Amino acid sequence: MENRSQLIERYLLKEMDAAEKAAFEKDLSTDSSLRQELQAQKEVVLAAERAGLKAEFGSAIRKTIRYRKSIGWGIAGFIAIIGLIIFIILVNRGDHREKTDQTEDATVERFRIKSTTDTIIETREGAIFAIPAGAFDTDAEEVALEIRTALKPEQIIRQGLSTTSNGELLQTAGMFYLNVKEKNKSVGIVKNISVNIPAVELNPKMQVFDGMMDDSGNINWIDPKPIEKKLRTYDIRSLDFYPPGFIPTLKSLQKNYRDKRYTDSLYYSFSNYRQSPLVSTDIMTERTFRDNSIRFAQAIHDSLPPAARDTSIMYQFEIDPSRIRAIWDTRFNNTFIATKEFEERLRFMHGLCTEDFLDIYLERLNQPLYEIDAYCASISKGSTKNMFEHFAERKDGRVPIASGVQDKLSAYVQGKYKSYKEAAESTWQKYQSELRELSTVAETERREQMQREFLRTNENFEKEYCINLTEAYRQIGIVRSCDDTIPPPPPATYYEIEINTTGWKNLDVYVFDATLNRQSMEYVDPESGKTARLTYAETKVQVENIEQYDRVLVYLVPDSLNSFQRMKREGLVFKENLNSLFTYDAVAVAYKGQQSYYFRQKGVKSQEYTFRLAPISETELKGQLNSFSKEKAWSITEDLRYQVFEQQYMMKQLEHQKSERFREIIARSIFNCLESDRGMIESVR
């Protein structure tokens, strides 16, 4: 069975499976001594990490536990050796802690360390000194350290230490004394040593003072310096530089918000976004803004920097995604851009309706964050000022960068920002060009279809009118043909006469109205007393599961006409009045995606039908239509071609509208100065 040390080793090295990890964490929740042992080791590793000392922590943990088992130290002490890097934690007794005389002040702790290796020392009171290799001004391999700590009020009193600076009382979080010697000669410090003092609660206003002792042994604390919080850098790709509302909005829309390739592509597509911002009296005052050729008169509140309030300046409104893309780059991994602290500030700056504050941070990569925070607060007002002051009070420090890196990174950002923005503009223009081209094609198709539709319906009407009129005359005993029944158009020059007698002219009108309205008629000739009748009777067609299709068309194909008649759809039913003089077939064609469906009913009568359509290939559909006369087959095929085009165009339009609604919602999650639109989310799901 594993002992506690082995369990801690495997837990810290993440070698437990899910069940083991759950069991260990359950023990942690009930065993305070196990928690203390685990926490002690975590703090040592974190201290080393904060100090910038490099080590293979896995090997360190294993060697620590082995060493601890061999010498029987307490839970906080260990030695870890990895290559040339040594971590030393001395708590009670050890090889590197010097023995002190029984009469010596018990507050003094002495150590001997190798000056050529990275070393961490923890005092009895929990102060941690992270000492890099070569930190001291000596060539000696070993040096002696003398450390005193007074971290509690009773220790300060017992050692007779003062807490005043030039006569003013200070609030102290603790004091420590460090002296380094080599052969009884004091040695100076040439590399910064990181010191971590334990505290119950951190006070961001605390400063570090140097102590000057006078001849009477009194200490005056002078030269206060802010205590910078050390910043830890991360792989910048693991940070979240999106505006705060971006990912939550995608999540609410049930989009793939976990796929960074998708979220990056979507976010960056809003570079140079064209939308009129909303005037917000909380954060805006009057200024002019230009986005390419579009100019907006906008108000920007005086919480913005003075440069941003200059109405003569034209600038990009809010933080352009291309600018974020330019800095969300591994080139910034060793700058404060790659820290959680900057990530937090950036999320705040996304809501300030200007990118000027971001520029201030990018221009000062070699400064501590709290100094940049203080500058931004000094040029702001209102809630913006309050927030930057809050950031400044935290004393978040810097990530040192080499000389010249600032200029190189600034040039890189500007170059990438420009190229990304130009690429986004090019993509936008191409998209708009495609929309215009599609619209032009659609207009041309519709115009040609209108011409074909007019010619077809006009030809059908004239032919049916001729047949109806010829039949009506036959019924009252007059023999006529289409050539003499339908009068030709009048000549260019003609006589105009007036008539006051009735005759076959009335029959023409009756037949014309009946044909136009597709309604039955009955006419009694006043001279012969004979009756002329035309009969139209309604037929209805329903298509099974009509809702599953994208588009459904039902054609009537009369035997006596050269073309078709498209049945009118009312709800889920297709209707048309049949001329009793004709014999009809009905053809139904439907589309679902790229698949065609077909049904044919021969000898359609005045009754209700239900068509069950079957899948059909394009070749088979063409063969079915070619079973009609050449003229009818061509007219139906041409109409279907247009109907398919219209369906595809409408689908593209719907997708475009849906996409635009989606992008409007996303834009409002990115650009905080845009007008909000509630209730739009449901429409794009």
Side-chain angles (χ1 to χ4, degrees):
M1 180 178 292
E2 293 178 307
N3 58 31
R4 289 161 65 101
S5 299
Q6 291 170 324
L7 286 172
I8 291 175
E9 173 185 345
R10 296 181 60 235
Y11 182 73
L12 290 175
L13 295 177
K14 299 181 180 178
E15 293 177 349
M16 291 182 171
D17 58 30
E20 290 176 308
K21 181 180 177 184
F24 182 77
E25 291 177 344
K26 183 178 180 181
D27 291 341
L28 281 175
S29 65
T30 58
D31 189 338
S32 60
S33 63
L34 181 61
R35 289 198 301 272
Q36 291 174 358
E37 189 170 355
L38 176 64
Q39 186 61 33
Q41 293 188 40
K42 280 185 176 180
E43 289 176 356
V44 170
V45 173
L46 287 173
E49 190 178 19
R50 287 196 298 268
L53 303 181
K54 300 177 181 179
E56 298 289 341
F57 288 133
S59 300
I61 292 167
R62 289 195 175 97
K63 293 181 180 180
T64 296
I65 293 175
R66 293 193 200 105
Y67 184 81
R68 197 175 67 205
K69 288 190 289 187
S70 66
I71 64 176
W73 278 2
I75 63 172
F78 69 88
I79 295 178
I81 302 176
I82 303 97
L84 298 177
I85 299 175
I86 302 177
F87 282 38
I88 304 174
I89 304 298
L90 305 171
V91 177
N92 296 320
R93 296 286 181 180
D95 294 341
H96 295 273
R97 184 186 296 277
E98 292 186 341
K99 293 183 179 181
T100 59
D101 190 277
Q102 294 294 327
T103 61
E104 186 174 52
D105 188 347
T107 62
V108 177
E109 296 180 70
R110 300 183 186 279
F111 308 85
R112 291 198 65 81
I113 68 170
K114 289 186 177 182
S115 62
T116 56
T117 58
D118 293 335
T119 306
I120 292 181
I121 291 175
E122 183 176 4
T123 70
R124 285 188 293 263
E125 298 299 327
I128 298 175
F129 292 75
I131 306 169
F136 306 116
D137 188 14
T138 180
D139 295 329
E141 185 176 348
E142 287 191 353
V143 293
L145 273 60
E146 177 187 336
I147 299 176
R148 298 171 182 239
T149 56
L151 307 183
K152 301 175 182 178
E154 60 270 21
Q155 295 171 336
I156 296 172
I157 294 172
R158 186 163 54 246
Q159 297 184 51
L161 300 173
S162 67
T163 58
T164 60
S165 174
N166 298 324
E168 294 186 7
L169 188 65
L170 298 176
Q171 176 185 353
T172 181
M175 309 172 187
F176 65 88
Y177 168 86
L178 172 65
N179 191 22
V180 184
K181 290 185 177 182
E182 188 265 318
K183 294 181 180 179
N184 294 322
K185 181 181 178 181
S186 293
V187 176
I189 297 174
V190 294
K191 287 185 180 180
N192 288 344
I193 295 175
S194 177
V195 182
N196 287 263
I197 302 299
V200 176
E201 183 178 354
L202 294 179
N203 183 346
K205 295 183 179 180
M206 280 292 175
Q207 301 183 85
V208 60
F209 290 72
D210 290 331
M212 293 293 293
M213 185 175 291
D214 60 20
D215 296 337
S216 302
N218 296 319
I219 296 179
N220 183 34
W221 299 101
I222 63 171
D223 193 19
K225 304 178 187 66
I227 300 176
E228 290 186 10
K229 175 186 173 184
K230 291 292 183 70
L231 301 182
R232 175 187 174 186
T233 58
Y234 296 80
D235 181 348
I236 200 167
R237 293 168 298 184
S238 69
L239 299 176
D240 182 1
F241 284 178
Y242 297 127
F246 179 63
I247 294 299
T249 299
L250 288 179
K251 186 176 181 180
S252 69
L253 295 173
Q254 301 177 10
K255 300 298 181 180
N256 191 6
Y257 65 94
R258 290 189 176 92
D259 184 349
K260 194 171 189 304
R261 287 181 298 179
Y262 167 71
T263 55
D264 278 354
S265 176
L266 177 62
Y267 175 60
Y268 297 146
S269 72
F270 282 85
S271 179
N272 228 16
Y273 182 70
R274 288 164 171 76
Q275 175 64 276
S276 301
L278 174 69
V279 176
S280 171
T281 57
D282 293 333
I283 56 174
M284 307 176 111
T285 201
E286 188 173 1
R287 80 189 261 186
T288 305
F289 162 77
R290 181 180 66 189
D291 181 2
N292 289 341
S293 61
I294 303 175
R295 298 189 179 186
F296 301 96
Q298 264 312 321
I300 303 294
H301 191 259
D302 58 358
S303 65
L304 300 179
R309 298 198 298 267
D310 185 348
T311 56
S312 66
I313 293 178
M314 302 295 187
Y315 78 116
Q316 175 64 42
F317 197 73
E318 303 193 55
I319 297 179
D320 190 285
S322 286
R323 189 173 293 272
I324 298 299
R325 185 180 183 184
I327 66 172
W328 210 346
D329 189 292
T330 54
R331 286 177 174 80
F332 290 87
N333 265 351
N334 294 317
T335 71
F336 66 60
I337 301 298
T339 65
K340 293 288 188 180
E341 290 78 8
F342 178 77
E343 177 188 60
E344 182 181 1
R345 286 160 173 80
L346 181 57
R347 290 173 71 83
F348 169 65
M349 288 187 284
H350 271 302
L352 296 183
C353 302
T354 176
E355 56 189 13
D356 294 330
F357 288 115
L358 175 59
D359 289 342
I360 292 171
Y361 281 87
L362 297 181
E363 292 163 0
R364 306 182 183 204
L365 295 176
N366 56 345
Q367 293 184 18
L369 276 177
Y370 72 88
E371 289 185 1
I372 308 174
D373 299 334
Y375 174 74
C376 290
S378 71
I379 60 174
S380 306
K381 290 185 179 180
S383 60
T384 303
K385 180 183 182 70
N386 294 339
M387 193 62 187
F388 280 121
E389 286 178 340
H390 168 71
F391 287 139
E393 288 175 355
R394 292 178 0 190
K395 293 296 187 293
D396 293 332
R398 77 184 78 202
V399 175
I401 61 175
S403 176
V405 171
Q406 171 71 68
D407 293 338
K408 291 179 181 179
L409 288 177
S410 295
Y412 176 80
V413 168
Q414 292 304 317
K416 285 296 183 181
Y417 173 45
K418 181 180 179 182
S419 63
Y420 291 150
K421 194 171 181 180
E422 288 175 350
E425 174 67 18
S426 176
T427 301
W428 170 262
Q429 293 296 346
K430 181 180 178 181
Y431 174 64
Q432 292 298 310
S433 176
E434 290 174 352
L435 288 180
R436 288 192 295 269
E437 182 178 352
L438 180 61
S439 178
T440 300
V441 170
E443 289 176 4
T444 301
E445 284 285 348
R446 285 172 175 168
R447 185 167 54 251
E448 292 176 354
Q449 174 68 6
M450 288 176 63
Q451 293 174 350
R452 288 192 297 268
E453 188 78 358
F454 172 78
L455 293 175
R456 180 184 63 80
T457 54
N458 187 62
E459 181 181 349
N460 280 352
F461 177 80
E462 288 186 356
K463 181 69 172 178
E464 187 167 359
Y465 176 48
C466 171
I467 293 172
N468 285 345
L469 192 57
T470 300
E471 173 60 19
Y473 274 116
R474 186 194 66 77
Q475 291 180 28
I476 62 173
I478 300 176
V479 178
R480 303 186 68 87
S481 67
C482 285
D483 291 337
D484 54 15
T485 299
I486 307 298
T493 302
Y494 55 88
Y495 293 103
E496 180 179 353
I497 61 174
E498 295 182 359
I499 60 174
N500 54 13
T501 60
T502 61
W504 57 267
K505 298 183 294 300
N506 285 346
L507 180 57
D508 290 4
V509 174
Y510 273 93
V511 173
F512 184 90
D513 289 343
T515 306
L516 180 64
N517 298 315
R518 305 195 66 76
Q519 293 178 347
S520 299
M521 62 146 264
E522 185 173 299
Y523 172 80
V524 178
D525 182 49
E527 295 184 3
S528 65
K530 294 182 178 180
T531 301
R533 293 183 179 86
L534 296 177
T535 302
Y536 283 89
E538 185 178 64
T539 188
K540 295 181 180 180
V541 172
Q542 287 187 322
V543 175
E544 274 192 7
N545 302 317
I546 191 172
E547 296 90 346
Q548 75 175 4
Y549 302 110
D550 297 330
R551 198 173 188 87
V552 180
L553 300 160
V554 180
Y555 298 97
L556 289 174
V557 186
D559 61 340
S560 301
L561 301 180
N562 293 328
S563 187
F564 63 87
Q565 292 174 308
R566 196 182 308 110
M567 294 186 70
K568 302 179 183 67
R569 179 173 175 176
E570 297 180 11
L572 302 179
V573 180
F574 294 86
K575 299 179 180 180
E576 188 55 87
N577 291 334
L578 305 180
N579 190 332
S580 61
L581 300 178
F582 297 168
T583 298
Y584 294 88
D585 284 355
V587 171
V589 181
Y591 297 92
K592 183 178 181 181
Q594 300 299 317
Q595 179 63 55
S596 304
Y597 297 82
Y598 178 80
F599 182 85
R600 178 174 179 176
Q601 176 67 50
K602 295 184 177 181
V604 175
K605 305 297 182 182
S606 176
Q607 65 183 63
E608 295 185 8
Y609 293 90
T610 298
F611 291 174
R612 177 178 294 177
L613 279 58
I616 190 171
S617 68
E618 289 299 315
T619 301
E620 291 171 332
L621 177 59
K622 185 176 181 180
Q624 288 288 339
L625 297 179
N626 285 337
S627 66
F628 296 106
S629 68
K630 182 178 180 180
E631 293 83 357
K632 292 175 182 177
W634 180 87
S635 64
I636 296 175
T637 301
E638 189 65 15
D639 189 72
L640 285 174
R641 184 198 65 78
Y642 171 76
Q643 296 298 333
V644 170
F645 168 81
E646 186 67 25
Q647 174 66 21
Q648 292 173 344
Y649 178 73
M650 291 301 297
M651 292 298 294
K652 289 180 180 179
Q653 288 293 95
L654 290 174
E655 285 299 316
H656 171 67
Q657 293 171 10
K658 184 177 180 180
S659 174
E660 286 301 302
R661 289 196 298 271
F662 170 70
R663 288 183 63 80
E664 286 176 13
I665 292 173
I666 299 302
R668 285 165 174 81
S669 74
I670 295 174
F671 303 110
N672 290 267
C673 299
L674 295 181
E675 181 181 4
S676 62
D677 188 356
R678 297 180 180 178
M680 190 179 288
I681 289 180
E682 292 297 330
S683 65
V684 298
R685 282 184 174 172

